Amino acid sequence: MSKIFPATKDAIEKAATLLKDGAVVAFPTETVYGLGADATSEQAVLGIFAAKNRPAVNPLIVHVTDWAMVEDYAETNARAKLLAASFWPGPLSIILKRKKDTKLAEAVSAGLDSVALRAPAHPVAQQLIAALGRPIAAPSANRSGTLSPTSPLHVEKSLGDAVPMILAGGKCAIGLESTVVDMTTETP
C-alpha cells in the first residue's frame, strides 16, 4: 500500500499529528523532498538519523515559517535578518548560534553550538510547519549517500517502510539542496 498522499488540508493535518506523536514524515520543498521530525523532540529527531542511516555527527537543517520563529530558537543578528528578508522564503539556510535555553533537540546540531535554519517557499512545507506549530528538522528524504529525492516516488523508493507518510506536492522546482551561509562569524 502506498504511503503517498496528495497534500490536501486533511493530509497535512494527519502529517502534523504524526509529527506531534514523534514520527517522521516526508514532505516537499522547493529544493528537494525533506524527511521531517518535530525539531523540539530529541526522540523524533533521532528517528531521522535512524530512517536515513545518517551519521549522528551530521547536523540537520531546521525549517521554520518565518524570521519570528527563528528568534525563538537562535541568537539573531541584523546581518542574518537582512539576508533572510532578502531571500526567504526560499532555498537559503542560515547558520546561527543556538540560544542557550532553546527548546530545539540537541541532535539537530550534532553537538555544535549552532543551528541551520531556513524558511522553505513551498506552500505544503509552510502549511505543515504551521500545522505543527513548531519548527521541523528536515534533511533530504533519502538514505544517506544516495541522490536527494525530487518526487514522492523517489522518497518511497529510497526510504520504503522507514517513513509512514509522504505528502505529495509535485516535483521539486529547484532539485538541489539549499545554499548554506554561516552567519555565526564576522565574515559570512
Side-chain angles (χ1 to χ4, degrees):
M1 181 175 172
S2 178
K3 297 174 183 184
I4 299 172
F5 295 84
T8 63
K9 182 179 179 188
D10 287 345
I12 291 168
E13 287 297 327
K14 178 180 178 180
T17 298
L18 286 169
L19 291 171
K20 287 174 186 172
D21 291 343
V24 294
V25 171
F27 64 96
T29 75
E30 71 280 10
T31 56
V32 297
Y33 272 74
L35 181 62
D38 177 350
T40 66
S41 167
E42 195 72 29
Q43 182 178 350
V45 171
L46 291 174
I48 292 173
F49 290 96
K52 287 180 59 74
N53 195 26
R54 181 184 176 109
V57 296
N58 196 348
L60 306 175
I61 293 173
V62 175
H63 293 66
V64 297
T65 52
D66 54 26
W67 187 257
M69 190 178 270
V70 169
E71 292 176 336
D72 290 338
Y73 300 97
E75 295 176 14
T76 62
N77 60 63
R79 293 177 313 137
K81 185 175 183 177
L82 179 61
L83 192 62
S86 299
F87 295 101
W88 280 8
L92 176 71
S93 296
I94 300 172
I95 300 175
L96 296 167
K97 295 283 187 188
R98 290 171 61 103
K99 278 192 170 178
K100 300 239 184 285
D101 62 346
T102 185
K103 293 181 181 176
L104 290 176
E106 289 288 328
V108 299
S109 297
L112 301 173
D113 66 351
S114 58
V115 60
L117 302 122
R118 96 174 181 97
H122 199 289
V124 173
Q126 282 285 329
Q127 292 167 31
L128 182 59
I129 299 164
L132 178 62
R134 296 187 288 276
I136 297 176
S140 57
N142 58 297
R143 297 272 182 210
S144 286
T146 64
L147 290 176
S148 295
T150 57
S151 78
L153 291 174
H154 294 157
V155 176
E156 189 173 53
K157 183 177 180 183
S158 183
L159 293 177
D161 290 336
V163 60
M165 183 177 192
I166 302 165
L167 285 174
K171 191 164 175 67
C172 298
I174 296 174
L176 295 172
E177 289 81 0
S178 65
T179 298
V180 180
V181 178
D182 186 347
M183 297 298 287
T184 63
T185 61
E186 195 61 38
T187 304

